[in-house]
Structure formats: structure tokens, C-alpha cells
Amino acid sequence: PTKLLSLSFKTGPPFKSLRRPSRLAPPRMDSSISPVRRKDKILVLMGATGTGKSSLSIDLATLFPSEIINSDKMQVYNGLDITTNKISIPDRCNVPHHLLGEIDPEEGEFIPSNFRSLAGFYISGIVSRGKLPLIVGGSNSFIHALVVDQFNADEDVFSTGWNSKSISTEFRYNCCFIWVDVSFPVLCDYLAKRVDEMLDLGMFEELAEFYNPGRVKTPTETGLRKAIGVPEFDRYFSKYPPMMEQRDDDWEWCRMRREAYEETVRAIKENTYQLVKRQLRKIERLRVAGWDLQRVDATEAFREVLFTSSMNKKQKMRPENQKNKKSGRWIEIWDKDVLQPTVKIVKHFLEE
Ligand code: ATP
């Protein structure tokens, strides 16, 4: 992409440092000493939901030959692509993605220890192909499970209180952690808009199809049933089932249904803000524990996206007249504040 030409530094071939060192050690006198294996390098893009991690990962993959492993615990499942906000196939720009919609939700909950094994398996494959594994997604429990040297599946290191556990800084990979951050109020404004856009894209219809009136609810739902949007719309559909005969001539009924719908959308937005708060708390815990998270601030780029979209709305621009998503002032700010600093960090990491 032409925007990448704007990078003010050279992006020479950074890949040789990705290759595994030869396993053949020089001959030694003491044959009992085994060759020391250097840890594989991985890049972890973390941050709250909606901060632009997926878009950044594609930008990076066009510069550094990489493959992406999804670390969003809802996006690992097959189904509900709009509701869980999976990156679309055209937007993936042919970059290989792993663990994105790969797990059958009927096969039970995909837990952090499953992620540790399967993502670990994919990392080995990616490294053997001479590429950089990019771990991209907001589920900090998955990221923690994947990278720590000693993982105990029975321990919730993020629980708070008197028995809260310390978080290890001993890693089984050579990790570069990039934290994409957006200030909380700006991110909430953006997420409210994103929920409206997801509804325009067909989230309601997707959830109507997913709704199963005959299903017996369990006290604690698992897997994809926990995705934000599912429990909220399940409540709505229990009153207004998708197949219900519409009573369009009953004004009062229409008003109540409209109110119930609006309340559902409000709940989805509120639960998304709560998710952001929880994710940020976990990131803070990792940082305090000593994880070297390199923060890049995307707040200004997001402010510009919000400003542009409110101007477009005011001018009632038709979609075909609107500027391409990947153009405009916000992309310049994104390049300057997010992409360029990230590329610099990654280059430095690969050359180490
Ligand atoms: P927790 O320990 O709370 O599960 P986590 O760090 O393991 O947190 P998160 O990614 O923060 O994982 O997900 C927590 C919850 O947030 C999920 O169980 C789900 O309800 C919701 N959630 C996360 N990602 C999505 C998504 N892509 N779409 C819809 N809901 C999501």
C-alpha cells in the first residue's frame, strides 16, 4: 500500500533474525552439554476490543512476512462473524490467519490451556516457514497462557483479592508485546458507533438465526453463547421471537417492541464498555507484574475517525460519496502515531 511508502525509515529485510539458529552446535569436549536453543520470536498485539489491532496486524504483515494467530476468545469459534467482529476475508489481504473461526462451538469451551497448545503448535509451523508469528486479540488470559514458561491451568492469575496470584515474567518465547491503547471515553464513543454499524451489517439477523427457543438455559453459559450480543438478544427474542407474526397495525405493540430493541442495543453497548474496563485492568496487572508492554497511543486517530463520521452524517453524505475507509486525515495520524512507532519497535526487536 502506498501509505506504507510514507514511513520515514528504511524497512530493510528484517527476517534473517527470525530463522531458528542451527541446532548443530560446534563440537564440544563435554558431550553431555546439549546445545542451547534460542527462544522463538513472537509479536503480541494486545489491547482492548476495538482499538484497531486487526488493522495494524495486516499493516505489519505487509512489511514483515508473518502469519496471524487470533487471540480473541470469541473469535476462535466458528459462527457469529458479525457479532464477534471477525476481520473480513478481503480485509485479511491474503495474510494467513489461524484460530479464527476454527473451533466448533458445539465441542465445548475452548479454554486457555487449549489455546496454549494449539497456538504453540501454530507458532512452531510459522517459525519453521521463516515467518514471524503475530498473536492478535484482546483476551489476556489466552495471551498469558500462551507465553508463560510454567502454566497452571487451575490457577486464575487475574482473579483479585486475598488469594490473587503473582504473574510470571518467565516466558517460553522471545516476546515483543505491543499494547494498542485508546483513551477510554474516545474508545466508548467509537464502540457505540461500531455496535450501530454491526447492526447495519446484519448482527440482528445473525443473532435471530442463532436463537434457539427450545434450548434449556444453563446457569453459566459457555463458549460462543457468552459473546456480547447473544444473551442480550436472547432476552429480546424470548419476548419477540424472530418468527413471530408482526402486529404492524397495533401501535402500542410496535412501540413496546421498539423500546425493547433500543434497550437491548443500549445493554450491548454498556456491556462492551465494561469489557474494555476489564481488559484494561488485566493489561495493567501484566504491566505492574513486569511485562514489558510497549504502548502505542491511537487516541488521536480515533478522534479523527469520530470527527469525520459526524461531519459525514451532518452533510448526509451518501456512502458512495464517502471517502474510502483507508484514506483521509485519520490514516495520516494512524501512520504517524501508531504504525510508524510500531514498525520501529518491531524492526528493533527483529534485529536484536
Ligand atoms: P475473562 O477471564 O473475563 O474471560 P479474558 O481476558 O479471558 O477475560 P476477554 O477477551 O476479555 O477474555 O473476554 C471476556 C468476555 O468478553 C467474553 O467471555 C465475552 O463475553 C466478551 N467478549 C470478548 N471478546 C468478544 C467478541 N469478540 N465478541 C463478543 N464478545 C466478546
Side-chain angles (χ1 to χ4, degrees):
T2 46
K3 71 186 167 70
L4 295 176
L5 298 174
S6 67
L7 294 170
S8 58
F9 38 83
K10 269 176 65 200
T11 51
F15 326 118
K16 58 178 186 303
S17 56
L18 283 175
R19 298 222 177 90
R20 274 195 173 140
S22 164
R23 282 154 201 250
L24 294 173
R28 285 174 187 270
M29 296 301 287
D30 179 357
S31 60
S32 68
I33 301 173
S34 58
V36 180
R37 212 193 116 219
R38 276 174 55 191
K39 291 177 181 175
D40 292 330
K41 290 187 174 182
I42 66 167
L43 181 69
V44 183
L45 282 189
M46 49 208 296
T49 185
T51 50
K53 300 179 291 298
S54 299
S55 163
L56 180 60
S57 68
I58 300 298
D59 285 345
L60 291 175
T62 59
L63 283 172
F64 307 98
S66 348
E67 295 186 26
I68 293 169
I69 300 174
N70 161 57
S71 55
D72 176 303
K73 61 161 50 169
M74 292 296 126
Q75 293 182 4
V76 294
Y77 296 109
N78 180 270
L80 297 187
D81 293 356
I82 303 170
T83 305
T84 61
N85 209 32
K86 287 191 193 115
I87 182 169
S88 70
I89 290 172
D91 285 349
R92 291 179 208 172
C93 297
N94 292 323
V95 178
H97 280 68
H98 305 278
L99 280 175
L100 189 64
E102 222 170 86
I103 306 298
D104 180 354
E106 298 302 318
E107 280 183 6
E109 180 109 337
F110 190 73
I111 56 175
S113 54
N114 300 136
F115 182 76
R116 178 177 169 90
S117 335
L118 211 44
F121 166 79
Y122 284 126
I123 288 173
S124 307
I126 297 168
V127 172
S128 73
R129 291 188 282 280
K131 294 199 209 164
L132 174 65
L134 298 188
I135 318 302
V136 184
S139 294
N140 297 295
S141 58
F142 273 19
I143 294 169
H144 170 266
L146 172 67
V147 301
V148 289
D149 214 5
Q150 303 292 323
F151 176 65
N152 179 353
D154 299 325
E155 220 175 64
D156 177 6
V157 292
F158 291 109
S159 72
T160 46
W162 64 270
N163 61 345
S164 69
K165 297 279 178 311
S166 59
I167 296 173
S168 170
T169 51
E170 298 286 314
F171 303 129
R172 60 176 178 150
Y173 299 106
N174 181 352
C175 304
C176 173
F177 298 105
I178 310 265
W179 165 26
V180 189
D181 194 22
V182 175
S183 93
F184 183 69
V186 173
L187 185 56
C188 289
D189 285 351
Y190 172 78
L191 288 169
K193 196 170 96 56
R194 188 178 83 168
V195 171
D196 294 335
E197 279 172 9
M198 283 156 69
L199 287 161
D200 288 347
L201 280 172
M203 180 180 175
F204 177 87
E205 292 75 10
E206 186 178 77
L207 288 167
E209 205 173 305
F210 191 72
Y211 176 67
N212 176 358
R215 195 178 156 272
V216 183
K217 264 207 176 140
T218 53
T220 45
E221 296 286 14
T222 55
L224 204 46
R225 303 216 65 83
K226 284 201 294 194
I228 296 176
V230 174
E232 295 86 347
F233 265 110
D234 270 6
R235 279 194 294 278
Y236 171 87
F237 291 132
S238 66
K239 278 197 202 143
Y240 302 99
M243 291 305 171
M244 184 185 207
E245 200 190 317
Q246 302 298 300
R247 291 154 50 184
D248 290 341
D249 48 349
D250 183 340
W251 186 86
E252 185 56 16
W253 184 87
C254 287
R255 188 185 64 78
M256 282 173 57
R257 192 188 55 173
R258 182 85 220 151
E259 275 180 8
Y261 177 84
E262 282 166 3
E263 182 47 43
T264 305
V265 175
R266 261 197 300 277
I268 289 174
K269 290 180 180 174
E270 183 52 40
N271 290 336
T272 310
Y273 309 151
Q274 294 307 323
L275 169 64
V276 171
K277 278 192 190 160
R278 285 199 308 274
Q279 288 176 323
L280 289 176
R281 251 182 255 132
K282 286 178 188 171
I283 289 173
E284 183 57 14
R285 293 217 36 210
L286 296 173
R287 209 183 55 75
V288 169
W291 286 32
D292 183 16
L293 310 184
Q294 314 221 39
R295 177 176 172 269
V296 287
D297 189 349
T299 305
E300 283 314 311
F302 274 68
R303 272 209 185 99
E304 183 60 30
V305 168
L306 288 167
F307 175 74
T308 312
S309 94
S310 71
M311 292 309 283
N312 285 348
K313 225 181 196 170
K314 268 190 201 143
Q315 292 163 5
K316 295 208 168 44
M317 284 178 78
R318 294 163 65 85
E320 60 269 32
N321 296 337
Q322 285 184 25
K323 285 212 176 105
N324 183 293
K325 249 165 87 185
K326 285 252 168 183
S327 71
R329 218 177 91 76
W330 83 267
I331 197 72
E332 284 166 29
I333 304 175
W334 174 266
D335 269 7
K336 177 173 73 60
D337 289 358
V338 183
L339 183 57
Q340 291 190 26
T342 307
V343 172
K344 214 170 183 169
I345 296 166
V346 178
K347 273 200 81 186
H348 184 255
F349 170 66
L350 296 178
E351 283 163 2
E352 264 171 9

